[in-house]
C-alpha cells in the first residue's frame, strides 16, 4: 500500500514540476494569481490520493497539507524512478479512492479541473503546438493561426551592436528573456526573479513553505490501536501461498532424496588422542615386507657447529672452490662459520628449504635397496705361494752391456750360454761374452743405412741368423729346433709372401702359404713336433707342417699381438700384445687364453720362456721386465700355476720405448733384456 | 605355427609397475590429491631394475609406482573423502556465485572431514615402528610451531604443533631421556633415547622466518597433518607409560614438572637381574652394565645445581636441557611466565649470561656462557667452568654425533675431553705426544707408496753414477781412478722383511681378477682419500696453532 502511495506521490510531484516549469514562462497573461490556485489544487488532490482523509472536513485539510508535502519530499528523494506502464493502474486506483470521497467535494474538484485544465491547455498566443522551435529557425513565420495564416515572428532587426547598446543602456536588460515560443522578449517581474533565485538556490518556490515541520511517525515501534490504513486485508493473506508450498515441497523432496543432510553433529573425536596401539597385532604387516623405511637424515659433523674447531673453517681457496662448484657437487651444502658467542648466531636462511627438500625426498624419491660391499680389502688379494719358495729366479741387475748406439732390437744367447748376440738399430750386430760383458766382435750388416736388425741363434750349431734389409724389412727370424730350417717374417699387408722358410742344407727357400691371412707379427716352430705357429694381428694359427693344414686358431682377445713364445714342452704359448696384456694359452684346454695377465702399464714388447726352469718373462715399454713363475704339470687335470715373482727395473725409457726384447739364459736362471736406452742388461 | 603370438611388454617386470599418470587415472584423483594420498599413506615411487623394459621401450623419464601399492590405495576410505571434498568445494562455489548465503552456511556446516588414525595404525603397526619414524615428525612440528600467523598454514595447525612439541619436551624432561645436544648453524639438534630408540630432532632458532617463494606449503601442510596425528598418539602413549596425565595442563614454561596419575614416590629403578653367563657374553654384559652406569650418572648431571638464565640466552632450549639433567632453572619474571625464583636467590650456583660482562655480580655463583651447559651434556661430566667465563674465547663446540674410528681425524679438543672423561688431569704435554702418535700412524699408512719410491731412487742414483762415468769415458778422459773406503751397508732385517712383504703384496695384487681389482682399487681409493683429508685437517690445525703462538709471542713482547 505504501509503495503505491509513493508512486502516486512521485507522479504528482513530477507533474507539478512540469507544470511549474511551464508556468514560470507563462506569466505574460496571468503571472501571479495562478500560483496560489496551483497550490490549492495540489493540496486537494494530494489529500485525496493519500487516502488519509477520514474526517472529510475542510478544516483539517490545512493541517494535513503540510504533512503530505513532507512525505512527498521524502519520496522524491528516495524513489529512484517512476514506471510508465504502471501509470494506468495507479490511475485506476486513484479513481477507486476518489470514489470514496463526498459528493460536495467532487463537484468542487470538477469546477477546478475545468478551470485549470493544463493537459490540453494550449498557448493561445502561438498555435504551433509543443514542437521544437528550431524547426522554424530559418523561416520568417513561427506557426499558423486557426485560419491557416502564417504567424510571423516579431521583427527583430537587432544586430550585435544594437544588442550591445541595449545591454549598456537598458537597466532591465539582465531580466529580459527571449521567449522561443513566440520569438518575443519578456521582462521578468520582481516576483519571478525572486522565484528564479530561490529555485537556483535549491529552495522551495513558495516562500511560506516550512520544510522543517514536525513529522508524524506512523510506522514506529509503538503498537497503535487503529490500523494505519483503513484498507481491508487482501484475500491472498487468507489463502495459503502456492509459491511457498512449492518451495517447501522442494525442500521436503531434497531431504527425502538425501540431497540435504541434517546439520552434522560436531565430531569431537577428531584431534583427540587415545591409545592407538592398545591391541597390537601384526596382521596388517603383510605389505611391510616390501616396505623400505626412508633413510634418516645424516647427523651433523663438527663443521656444522656454530663454533667449530678452526681446522674445519674454509680457507680462501676452499671458499672460492665452494662458490664455483655446482650445488650438487659440493661436499658441504653450507659454509662453516664461526661465531664467538651463541648470541650472534643468526637464523639459518635455508631452513625451510631443507625441510621441504626432505619432504620431497620422502614422497617423491624412488627407493631402492642397495647392498653395500663390506669387504676387507686384504681378503680380495689372492693367496699365492711366496716368491721365496719359488726360487731360483733373477732378482738383481748384475751386468750392463754397453756399446750400441741405437735401440737394441733383439738379443740372442748361444746354446752354451757363453755368448750373447745383439742386433741394434745402428746397423750392427755385436757379440758379447756373457760373463765379462765385453764386446768381442762387431759386425756391420746394414751398411750405412740404419735398419732394424733381427737375429736368432741356432741351438745345436751356434749359427747366428741375422736379418736386415733385403728388398723389404725382415721383422723376425726363427730357427727350427734341429737347426736345419729357418723361418723369416716380412710383414706386408698385401702379399702372401710374408713368411718364408729356408732350408740350410739344401740352400733353398719355400713359401708355405698360398694366401694372405693377415699381417704376420711373428712365427715360431714347435720345439718337438712338426708344428708351425704364426701370430697375426689378433690370433695365433698353428699349422701342421706334415699334413700341411691348420690345426688350431688361438684367439688372443687383444688388439695387436706383439710377441709370442712357445713353452719348451710345446703345449703352452704366451702372447704379448701392444694393449698391455700377456695371454697364456693352454693348447690342450681351449683356443681362448687360460689367463690374461695385465701386469704391465704399457705395451708388452717381448716374451720368453726359460728352457729348463719354470720361468717366463715379459718386457714392456714401461721399462720393466716381469719374471713370473709358471709351473706346468704333467697331469692334464691340473692347470698351470702362474705366480709373478719379480719386477725387474733398470732400463731407462727413451722416446717412450722401454725394454724391447727379453731372453733367458739357456742354463742359468738369468734373464737378458735389451732396451731403447742402447743397453743390454743381465739380471741374475 | 601353434599358439598365439607373444606380445611385447605384457609380461615380466612391466606388470609390476605403473606410471604415475596411469595410477592417478586409476584412482580417479587429481594430481594434488594423489600427492596428498601418497604422502599420507607413505607410498613412494620405485625404481625398476630395467627401466626401459618397464617403460615399454621408451626412455622418457617417468616415475613408477608398484602396481600393488596403487591397488592397495584403491581401498583407502580417505579417497572417498577426497572426492567428497571436491564436490563440497564445487557446491560452495556455486552457492557463492548465486549469493545463496544460507546454502553457503549449510554447506560449511557439513564440510567433509577425515581422520588419519587408521592410516597411522596401518603404517605403524607397532608403537616402536612409530617411534622409529618420529624424527621427521618432530623436526616438522618444531618448525611449524615457530611460524607466525602469516597465512602459510592454519593457525590451528601452528597451535597444535606448539602444543605437541611442548608436550614432547615435557615428556623428555620427565623421562630424562635426552642424550646429546648440538648447537649448529642451522639450529639446535637434540638426541633422546626413548624406549631404546635414538631420536634426533632439529629445532630452528627463535627468529621469524623469511618465507621462501619456491616452497610448496601445501605439501608441507599435508606432512604436518600426518605428523601431528602421529605425534599426538605417541605422546599419549609415552605419557601413559610414565603414569602421567594426558593431555597435561599448563606446560608452556617448561619449569614445572608434570602431574602424575600415581604419586611418584613408589617408582623405583628396577634392578637388572643377573643371569649366569660365560666368556664373551660376560664381557659384553659388563660393558653394558658400565654403559648403564654411565647413563645413570649422566641423568643426574646437574642434580643439585641451580641455574639462572639471563634474558638474552635462548630460554626454552636451556630450560629444557637443564631440566632434562636434573638441574633447577629460573629466569626473570618479565621474560616469561613460570619463573620460580629471583636473581637475588642466594642458592643459585650458575648464572648463564651471553654478554661480554655482567653488570651486577653475586659472589657465590659462576657466571658462565651457555655453551658450557651443552658441552657438559655431551661430555657427560661437569666440565671445569674456567674456559666458559664471560668474555673468554670459548673452546670449539664439537659435534657429539661424530664417532671417530681408527685413522679418522680427531680434533685435539676432543682428545682433551676424552682425557677428562677418563679422569685424567689435563696436561699440555700429553696432548702433544698424542698428536705426534697420530701423525706417526698416518705416516705408516703411507709407507707402502714411499718404499717404492725409495727403491727407485736408489737405483736411479746408481744409474746416474754409471752414466757419469760413461760420459767421462766417451769424452776421452781417463777415469779418475781412486780408491775410496767402502761403506758398510747396514741392513735392517726388520725393514728388509717389511719390504719383502710389501713386494709380495704388490705381486699378489697383480694377479687379482679384473673385477676384484676394481673393487680393491675403489676401497683403497676411499681409504687413501680419508687419510688425505685427515692429514689436511691436521696440517690446517697445525698452521692455525702456529699462527696463534706467533701472535701470542708478539703480544707478549
Amino acid at each position: 500500500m505504501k509503495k503505491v502511495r509513493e508512486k502516486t506521490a512521485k507522479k504528482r510531484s513530477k507533474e507539478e514540476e512540469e507544470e511549474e516549469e511551464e508556468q514560470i514562462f507563462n506569466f505574460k497573461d496571468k503571472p501571479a494569481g495562478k500560483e496560489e490556485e496551483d497550490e490549492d489544487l495540489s493540496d486537494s488532490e494530494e489529500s485525496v490520493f493519500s487516502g488519509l482523509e477520514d474526517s472529510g472536513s475542510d478544516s483539517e485539510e490545512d493541517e494535513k497539507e503540510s504533512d503530505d508535502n513532507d512525505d512527498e519530499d521524502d519520496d522524491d528523494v528516495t524513489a529512484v524512478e517512476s514506471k510508465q506502464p504502471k501509470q494506468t493502474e495507479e490511475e485506476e486506483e486513484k479513481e477507486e479512492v476518489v470514489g470514496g470521497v463526498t459528493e460536495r467535494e467532487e463537484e468542487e474538484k470538477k469546477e477546478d479541473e475545468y478551470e485549470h485544465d493544463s493537459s490540453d491547455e494550449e498557448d493561445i498566443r502561438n498555435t504551433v503546438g509543443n514542437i521544437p522551435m528550431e524547426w522554424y529557425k530559418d523561416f520568417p513565420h513561427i506557426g499558423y493561426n486557426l485560419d491557416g495564416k502564417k504567424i510571423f515572428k516579431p521583427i527583430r532587426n537587432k544586430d550585435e551592436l544594437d544588442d550591445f547598446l541595449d545591454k549598456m543602456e537598458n537597466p532591465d536588460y539582465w531580466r529580459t528573456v527571449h521567449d522561443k515560443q513566440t520569438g518575443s522578449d519578456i521582462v521578468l517581474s520582481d516576483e519571478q526573479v525572486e522565484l528564479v533565485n530561490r529555485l537556483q538556490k535549491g529552495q522551495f518556490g513558495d516562500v511560506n513553505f516550512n520544510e522543517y515541520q514536525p513529522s508524524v511517525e506512523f510506522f514506529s515501534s509503538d503498537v497503535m490501536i487503529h490500523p494505519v490504513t483503513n484498507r481491508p486485508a487482501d484475500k491472498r493473506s487468507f489463502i495459503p501461498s502456492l509459491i511457498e508450498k512449492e518451495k517447501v515441497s522442494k525442500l521436503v523432496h531434497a531431504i527425502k532424496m538425501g540431497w540435504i543432510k541434517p546439520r552434522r553433529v560436531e565430531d569431537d573425536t577428531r584431534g583427540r588422542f587415545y591409545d592407538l596401539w592398545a591391541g597390537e597385532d601384526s596382521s596388517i604387516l603383510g605389505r611391510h615386507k616390501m616396505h623400505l623405511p626412508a633413510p634418516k637424515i645424516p647427523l651433523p659433523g663438527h663443521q656444522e657447529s656454530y663454533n667449530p674447531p678452526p681446522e674445519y673453517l674454509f680457507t680462501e681457496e676452499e671458499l672460492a672452490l665452494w662458490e664455483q662448484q655446482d650445488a650438487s657437487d659440493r661436499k658441504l651444502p653450507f659454509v662453516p662459520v664461526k661465531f664467538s658467542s651463541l648470541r650472534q648466531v643468526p637464523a639459518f636462511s635455508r631452513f625451510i628449504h631443507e625441510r621441504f627438500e626432505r619432504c620431497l625426498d620422502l614422497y617423491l624419491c624412488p627407493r631402492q635397496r642397495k647392498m653395500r660391499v663390506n669387504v676387507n680389502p686384504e681378503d680380495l688379494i689372492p693367496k699365492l705361494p711366496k716368491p721365496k719358495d719359488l726360487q731360483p729366479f733373477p732378482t738383481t741387475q748384475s751386468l750392463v752391456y754397453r756399446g750400441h748406439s741405437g735401440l737394441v732390437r733383439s738379443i740372442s744367447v748361444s746354446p752354451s750360454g757363453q755368448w750373447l748376440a745383439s742386433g741394434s738399430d745402428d746397423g750392427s750386430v755385436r757379440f758379447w761374452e756373457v760373463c765379462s760383458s765385453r764386446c768381442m766382435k762387431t759386425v756391420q750388416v746394414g751398411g750405412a743405412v740404419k735398419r732394424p736388425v733381427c737375429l736368432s741363434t741356432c741351438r745345436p750349431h751356434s749359427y747366428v741368423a741375422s736379418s736386415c734389409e733385403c728388398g723389404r724389412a725382415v721383422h723376425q727370424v726363427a730357427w727350427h729346433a734341429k737347426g736345419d730350417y729357418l723361418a723369416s717374417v716380412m710383414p706386408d699387408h698385401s702379399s702372401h709372401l710374408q713368411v718364408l722358410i729356408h732350408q740350410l742344407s739344401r740352400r733353398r727357400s719355400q713359401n708355405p702359404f698360398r694366401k694372405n691371412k693377415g699381417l704376420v707379427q711373428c712365427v715360431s716352430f714347435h720345439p718337438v713336433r712338426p708344428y708351425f705357429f704364426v701370430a697375426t694381428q689378433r690370433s695365433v694359427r698353428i699349422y701342421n707342417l706334415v699334413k700341411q693344414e691348420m690345426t688350431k686358431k688361438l684367439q688372443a682377445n687383444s688388439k695387436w699381438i706383439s710377441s709370442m713364445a712357445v713353452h719348451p714342452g710345446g703345449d703352452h704359448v704366451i702372447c704379448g700384445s701392444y694393449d698391455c696384456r700377456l695371454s697364456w694359452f693352454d693348447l690342450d684346454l681351449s683356443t681362448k687364453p687360460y689367463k690374461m695377465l695385465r701386469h704391465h702399464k704399457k705395451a708388452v714388447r717381448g716374451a720368453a720362456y726359460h728352457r729348463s726352469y719354470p720361468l717366463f718373462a715379459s718386457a714392456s715399454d714401461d721399462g720393466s721386465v716381469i719374471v713370473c713363475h709358471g709351473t706346468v704339470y704333467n697331469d692334464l687335470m691340473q692347470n698351470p700355476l702362474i705366480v709373478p715373482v719379480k719386477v725387474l727395473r733398470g732400463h731407462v725409457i727413451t722416446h717412450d720405448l722401454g725394454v724391447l726384447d727379453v731372453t733367458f739364459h739357456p742354463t742359468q736362471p738369468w734373464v737378458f733384456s735389451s732396451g731403447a736406452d742402447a743397453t743390454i742388461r743381465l739380471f741374475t | 605355427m601353434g599358439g598365439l603370438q607373444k606380445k611385447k611388454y605384457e609380461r615380466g617386470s612391466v606388470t609390476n609397475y605403473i606410471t604415475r599418470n596411469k595410477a592417478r587415472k586409476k584412482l580417479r584423483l587429481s594430481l594434488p590429491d594423489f600427492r596428498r594420498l601418497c604422502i599420507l599413506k607413505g607410498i613412494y615411487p620405485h625404481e625398476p631394475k630395467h627401466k626401459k623394459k618397464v617403460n615399454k621401450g621408451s626412455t622418457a623419464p617417468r616415475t613408477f609406482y608398484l602396481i600393488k601399492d596403487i591397488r592397495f590405495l584403491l581401498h583407502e576410505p580417505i579417497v572417498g573423502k577426497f572426492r567428497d571434498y571436491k564436490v563440497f568445494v564445487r557446491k560452495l562455489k556455486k552457492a557463492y556465485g548465486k549469493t545463496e548465503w544460507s546454502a553457503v552456511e549449510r554447506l560449511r556446516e557439513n564440510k567433509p572431514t577425515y581422520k588419519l588414525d587408521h592410516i597411522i595404525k596401518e603404517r605403524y603397526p607397532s608403537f616402536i615402528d612409530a617411534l622409529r619414524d618420529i624424527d621427521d615428525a618432530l623436526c616438522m612440528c618444531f618448525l611449524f610451531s615457530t611460524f607466525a600467523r602469516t597465512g602459510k598454514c592454519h593457525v590451528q595447525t601452528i597451535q597444535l604443533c606448539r602444543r605437541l612439541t611442548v608436550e614432547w619436551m615435557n615428556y623428555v624432561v620427565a623421562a630424562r631421556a635426552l642424550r646429546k645436544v648440538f648447537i649448529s648453524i642451522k639450529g639446535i639438534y637434540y638426541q633422546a633415547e626413548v624406549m631404546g630408540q635414538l631420536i634426533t630432532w632439529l629445532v630452528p632458532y627463535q627468529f621469524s622466518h623469511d618465507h621462501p617463494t619456491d616452497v610448496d606449503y601445501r605439501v608441507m601442510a599435508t606432512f604436518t597433518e600426518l605428523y601431528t596425528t602421529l605425534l599426538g598418539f605417541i605422546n599419549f602413549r609415552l605419557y601413559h607409560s610414565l603414569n602421567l596425565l594426558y593431555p597435561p595442563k599448563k606446560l608452556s614454561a617448561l619449569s614445572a614438572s608434570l602431574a602424575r596419575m600415581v604419586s611418584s614416590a613408589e617408582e623405583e629403578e628396577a634392578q637388572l637381574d643377573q643371569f649366569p653367563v660365560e666368556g664373551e657374553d660376560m664381557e659384553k654384559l659388563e660393558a653394558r652394565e658400565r654403559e648403564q652406569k654411565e647413563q645413570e650418572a649422566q641423568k643426574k648431571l646437574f642434580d643439585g645445581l641451580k641455574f639462572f638464565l639471563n634474558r638474552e640466552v635462548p630460554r626454552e632450549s636451556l630450560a629444557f636441557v637443564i631440566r632434562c639433567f636434573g638441574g633447577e632453572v629460573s629466569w626473570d619474571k618479565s621474560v616469561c611466565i613460570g619463573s620460580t625464583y629471583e636473581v637475588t636467590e642466594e642458592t643459585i650456583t650458575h648464572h648463564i649470561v651471553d654478554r661480554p660482562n655482567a653488570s651486577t655480580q653475586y659472589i657465590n655463583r659462576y657466571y658462565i656462557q651457555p655453551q658450557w651447559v651443552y658441552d657438559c651434556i655431551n661430555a657427560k661430566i661437569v666440565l671445569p667452568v674456567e674456559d666458559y667465563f664471560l668474555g673468554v674465547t670459548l673452546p670449539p663446540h664439537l659435534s657429539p654425533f661424530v664417532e671417530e674410528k681408527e685413522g679418522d681425524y680427531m680434533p685435539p679438543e676432543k682428545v682433551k675431553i676424552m682425557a677428562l672423561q677418563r679422569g685424567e688431569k689435563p696436561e699440555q704435554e700429553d696432548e702433544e705426544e698424542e698428536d705426534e702418535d697420530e701423525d706417526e700412524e698416518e705416516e705408516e699408512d703411507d709407507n707402502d707408496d714411499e718404499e717404492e719410491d725409495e727403491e727407485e731412487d736408489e737405483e736411479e742414483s746408481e744409474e746416474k753414477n754409471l752414466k757419469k762415468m760413461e760420459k767421462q769415458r766417451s769424452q776421452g778422459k781417463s777415469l779418475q781412478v781412486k780408491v775410496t773406503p767402502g761403506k758398510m751397508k747396514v741392513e735392517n732385517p726388520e725393514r728388509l722383511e717389511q719390504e719383502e712383504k710389501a713386494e709380495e703384496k704388490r705381486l699378489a695384487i697383480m694377479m687379482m681378477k679384473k673385477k676384484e681389482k676394481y673393487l680393491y682399487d675403489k676401497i683403497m681409493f676411499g681409504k687413501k682419500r680419508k687419510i688425505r683429508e685427515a692429514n689436511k685437517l691436521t696440517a690446517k690445525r697445525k698452521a692455525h696453532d702456529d699462527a696463534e703462538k706467533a701472535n701470542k709471542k708478539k703480544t707478549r713482547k
Side-chain angles (χ1 to χ4, degrees), chain B residues 43-309:
Chain B
I43 305 291
Y44 48 85
H46 284 255
E47 189 81 0
K49 242 184 182 175
H50 303 287
K51 215 170 173 189
K52 203 175 161 191
K53 268 185 200 165
V54 173
N55 213 350
K56 302 194 175 169
S58 153
T59 49
R62 287 208 177 93
T63 33
F64 292 98
Y65 288 86
L66 279 185
I67 223 162
K68 268 187 186 171
D69 282 350
I70 300 302
R71 252 183 234 141
F72 168 71
L73 286 182
L74 271 176
H75 305 293
E76 177 55 45
I78 247 179
V79 177
K81 293 282 183 186
F82 282 168
R83 292 193 194 119
D84 285 352
Y85 195 82
K86 205 170 73 183
V87 173
F88 159 73
V89 168
R90 203 166 54 209
K91 279 182 179 169
L92 198 67
K93 261 187 196 167
K94 201 171 173 185
Y96 263 114
K98 288 183 165 180
T99 64
E100 287 172 349
W101 306 119
S102 59
V104 168
E105 200 183 340
R106 198 192 67 232
L107 283 170
R108 278 194 181 283
E109 271 163 8
N110 284 328
K111 183 179 172 185
T113 54
Y114 53 85
K115 289 203 286 186
L116 298 175
D117 305 5
H118 66 283
I119 289 184
I120 301 280
K121 183 75 201 270
E122 182 189 88
R123 282 184 69 171
Y124 308 106
S126 71
F127 180 58
I128 293 297
D129 289 335
L131 260 187
R132 239 177 248 156
D133 214 14
I134 203 184
D135 285 18
D136 287 313
L138 280 171
C139 289
M140 192 66 118
C141 285
F142 270 102
L143 172 65
F144 265 64
S145 66
T146 59
F147 278 0
R149 302 178 174 203
T150 47
K152 294 287 178 197
C153 60
H154 292 297
V155 179
Q156 292 95 315
T157 316
I158 297 172
Q159 283 165 347
L160 182 61
C161 282
R162 174 75 190 149
R163 197 191 101 197
L164 289 171
T165 49
V166 170
E167 281 168 13
W168 168 260
M169 285 201 285
N170 272 294
Y171 166 76
V172 173
V173 169
R176 300 228 171 155
L178 196 69
R179 293 285 169 270
K180 288 167 181 175
V181 195
F182 177 51
I183 321 170
S184 84
I185 49 173
K186 292 181 183 172
I188 303 178
Y189 286 89
Y190 299 94
Q191 191 174 59
E193 192 180 341
V194 180
M195 307 210 162
Q197 301 295 324
L198 281 179
I199 293 160
T200 319
W201 70 96
L202 172 63
V203 183
Y205 290 116
Q206 292 280 345
F207 292 106
S208 62
H209 294 280
D210 187 10
H211 285 285
T213 49
D214 51 344
V215 162
D216 188 356
Y217 278 89
R218 279 181 306 175
V219 170
M220 301 249 281
T222 314
F223 268 104
T224 314
E225 201 179 350
L226 177 77
Y227 286 154
T228 48
T229 320
L230 172 65
L231 196 55
F233 284 121
I234 284 177
N235 277 351
F236 185 92
R237 177 92 179 209
L238 287 175
Y239 271 64
H240 279 257
S241 71
L242 286 185
N243 287 334
L244 298 169
L245 275 176
Y246 190 90
K249 280 159 202 162
K250 287 203 177 177
L251 287 175
S252 60
L254 275 172
S255 59
S257 38
L258 298 163
R260 298 205 169 237
M261 291 204 287
V262 190
S263 58
S264 58
E266 294 149 27
E267 261 190 53
E268 280 166 29
E269 289 298 319
Q271 284 287 328
L272 267 185
D273 288 340
Q274 299 279 352
F275 295 102
V277 277
E278 291 168 18
E280 283 180 30
D281 288 347
M282 196 65 189
E283 279 174 22
K284 275 186 194 168
L285 195 77
E286 273 172 12
R288 212 182 305 144
E289 267 178 14
R290 213 181 308 128
E291 209 168 86
Q292 206 148 32
K293 248 182 205 172
E294 224 170 62
Q295 248 178 36
E296 287 304 313
Q298 196 199 4
K299 278 181 186 174
K300 289 168 185 160
L301 187 66
F302 293 146
D303 264 2
L305 299 184
K306 238 174 163 180
F307 291 84
F308 190 84
L309 310 180

Side-chain angles (χ1 to χ4, degrees), chain A residues 260-264 267 269-270 272-281 284-285 287-288 290-292 296-297 299-302 304-315 318 331 334-335 337-343 345-348 351-356 358-360 362-368 373 375 377-378 380-382 384 386-388 402 595 597-599 626 642 644-647 649-650 652 681, chain B residues 35 39 43-45 47 66 69 72 109-111 113-115 117 120-127 130 132 135-136 139-140 143 147 163 182-186 189 198 200 202 204-205 207 209 211-212 214-217 219-220 223 227 229 232-233 236-237 246 314 354-355 370-371 394-399 401-402 404 409 411 459 463 466 470 500 503-505 507-508 510-512 516 520 523 527 533 536-537 540-541 544:
Chain A
I260 296 179
K261 280 171 198 121
R263 185 165 296 179
R264 203 186 45 183
D267 187 9
T269 56
R270 194 164 165 266
R272 181 171 289 180
F273 302 113
Y274 51 91
D275 195 356
L276 188 68
W277 294 280
E280 282 192 12
D281 56 341
I284 329 169
L285 278 171
R287 195 177 79 86
H288 292 264
M290 282 287 281
H291 183 71
L292 305 176
K296 294 197 170 186
I297 293 180
L299 291 169
H302 296 314
E304 208 182 306
S305 169
Y306 88 103
N307 182 13
E311 61 267 32
Y312 287 98
L313 294 173
F314 279 169
T315 56
E318 278 170 328
K331 241 182 201 176
F334 55 88
V335 183
V337 202
K338 189 173 185 121
F339 297 99
S340 61
S341 71
L342 188 56
R343 186 182 71 239
V345 184
F348 187 62
F351 196 95
I352 295 178
H353 271 118
E354 287 196 350
R355 196 99 290 281
F356 177 61
R358 171 71 179 169
C359 285
L360 290 188
L362 283 178
Y363 90 98
L364 278 183
C365 201
R367 294 183 201 166
Q368 207 174 28
V373 274
V375 188
E378 299 302 318
L380 290 174
I381 298 171
L384 293 174
K386 281 186 178 176
K388 215 193 258 175
R402 293 168 202 281
K595 208 145 227 181
L597 306 174
R598 292 178 196 78
H599 296 168
I626 294 181
I642 299 170
V645 287
K646 189 72 191 171
V647 181
R649 291 173 203 280
V652 182
R681 285 160 202 260
Chain B
R35 253 185 216 144
I39 291 170
I43 305 291
Y44 48 85
E47 189 81 0
L66 279 185
D69 282 350
F72 168 71
E109 271 163 8
N110 284 328
K111 183 179 172 185
T113 54
Y114 53 85
K115 289 203 286 186
D117 305 5
I120 301 280
K121 183 75 201 270
E122 182 189 88
R123 282 184 69 171
Y124 308 106
S126 71
F127 180 58
R132 239 177 248 156
D135 285 18
D136 287 313
C139 289
M140 192 66 118
L143 172 65
F147 278 0
R163 197 191 101 197
F182 177 51
I183 321 170
S184 84
I185 49 173
K186 292 181 183 172
Y189 286 89
L198 281 179
T200 319
L202 172 63
Y205 290 116
F207 292 106
H209 294 280
H211 285 285
D214 51 344
V215 162
D216 188 356
Y217 278 89
V219 170
M220 301 249 281
F223 268 104
Y227 286 154
T229 320
F233 284 121
F236 185 92
R237 177 92 179 209
Y246 190 90
D354 198 1
R355 302 179 188 189
Q371 196 191 318
L394 288 169
H397 180 63
L398 299 174
S399 166
F401 303 114
V402 181
E404 280 94 352
Y409 174 73
E459 282 168 17
E463 187 87 3
L466 284 172
E470 216 172 306
E500 207 168 275
E503 195 180 354
E504 256 174 49
K505 200 175 157 188
L507 290 169
M510 286 200 320
M511 280 307 284
M512 262 176 164
E516 285 172 354
Y520 180 82
I523 294 173
K527 276 191 169 179
E533 270 164 17
K536 200 175 154 194
L537 284 177
K540 252 169 126 180
R541 177 65 183 225
H544 177 264

Side-chain angles (χ1 to χ4, degrees), chain A residues 1 4-5 8 44-54 89-103 105-106 109 229-232:
Chain A
M1 192 57 207
V4 173
R5 219 173 61 83
T8 51
S44 55
E45 266 187 3
E46 272 307 314
S47 58
V48 170
F49 294 147
S50 63
L52 285 173
E53 73 299 0
D54 281 357
E89 279 179 28
E90 281 157 22
E91 270 168 10
E92 279 171 22
E93 248 180 60
K94 229 192 277 176
E95 277 170 21
E96 270 182 32
V97 177
V98 168
V101 185
T102 52
E103 282 181 5
E105 272 182 352
E106 225 174 8
K109 295 271 157 59
T229 68
N230 202 14
R231 194 162 164 261

Side-chain angles (χ1 to χ4, degrees), chain A residues 315-593:
Chain A
T315 56
E316 276 174 19
E317 300 102 61
E318 278 170 328
L319 187 66
L321 180 73
W322 189 88
E323 276 165 0
Q324 263 183 8
Q325 272 174 332
D326 191 55
S328 55
D329 295 340
R330 286 170 185 165
K331 241 182 201 176
L332 284 179
F334 55 88
V335 183
V337 202
K338 189 173 185 121
F339 297 99
S340 61
S341 71
L342 188 56
R343 186 182 71 239
Q344 288 162 338
V345 184
F348 187 62
S349 58
R350 284 191 55 78
F351 196 95
I352 295 178
H353 271 118
E354 287 196 350
R355 196 99 290 281
F356 177 61
E357 274 156 23
R358 171 71 179 169
C359 285
L360 290 188
D361 281 354
L362 283 178
Y363 90 98
L364 278 183
C365 201
R367 294 183 201 166
Q368 207 174 28
R369 208 182 283 278
K370 280 227 164 139
M371 303 306 281
R372 175 162 285 179
V373 274
N374 193 9
V375 188
N376 184 8
E378 299 302 318
D379 295 345
L380 290 174
I381 298 171
K383 295 278 167 290
L384 293 174
K386 281 186 178 176
K388 215 193 258 175
D389 306 335
L390 301 175
Q391 274 169 343
F393 54 84
T395 50
T396 50
Q397 175 185 288
S398 47
L399 284 174
V400 183
Y401 304 84
R402 293 168 202 281
H404 281 296
S405 57
L407 320 176
V408 186
R409 283 275 176 195
S410 63
I411 45 172
S412 185
V413 192
S414 72
S416 61
Q418 197 183 354
W419 307 104
L420 174 70
S422 65
S424 163
D425 269 8
D426 58 7
S428 65
V429 175
R430 282 175 189 253
F431 295 88
W432 314 79
E433 195 181 19
V434 168
C435 300
S436 61
S437 81
R438 190 168 289 183
C439 179
M440 302 307 285
K441 187 162 189 167
T442 310
V443 182
Q444 285 291 339
V445 280
V449 189
K450 288 182 181 173
R451 291 280 176 186
V453 170
C454 318
L455 53 84
S456 180
T457 318
C458 169
R459 215 158 289 144
H461 308 295
S462 299
Y463 296 146
V464 171
S466 85
S467 65
C468 60
E469 175 73 7
C470 37
R472 277 173 295 152
V474 174
H475 200 254
Q476 194 220 354
V477 283
W479 282 97
H480 188 253
K482 286 188 178 145
D484 197 21
Y485 291 97
L486 177 72
S488 64
V489 182
M490 292 172 284
D492 190 348
H493 276 293
S494 49
S495 155
H496 64 280
L497 293 169
Q498 294 189 81
V499 180
L500 291 175
I501 296 183
H502 316 278
Q503 195 177 6
L504 283 193
S505 51
R506 289 200 195 158
R507 293 184 187 170
R508 69 170 201 197
S509 300
Q510 62 177 11
N511 172 27
F513 302 118
R514 228 172 298 144
K515 261 187 196 167
N516 174 16
K517 290 267 172 104
L519 197 65
V520 177
Q521 298 298 314
C522 49
V523 294
S524 178
F525 287 99
H526 192 281
V528 196
R529 271 178 261 162
Y531 287 129
F532 188 56
F533 297 81
V534 179
T536 53
Q537 208 167 313
R538 312 197 57 159
S539 58
V540 177
R541 290 157 204 272
I542 303 169
Y543 294 94
N544 190 333
L545 292 176
V546 178
K547 286 182 184 171
Q548 301 204 336
E549 64 179 17
M550 191 175 83
T551 52
K552 231 170 221 174
K553 189 180 169 191
L554 308 175
Q555 294 294 340
N557 288 355
S558 53
K559 296 269 164 54
W560 198 311
I561 292 172
S562 65
S563 55
M564 177 179 62
V566 184
H567 191 264
D571 280 346
H572 301 268
V573 176
I574 47 172
C575 272
S577 69
Y578 289 115
D579 48 357
C580 322
R581 295 170 207 206
L582 189 74
S583 33
W584 173 294
F585 293 96
D586 190 335
L587 297 185
D588 299 330
L589 208 64
S590 141
T591 57
K592 296 267 159 53

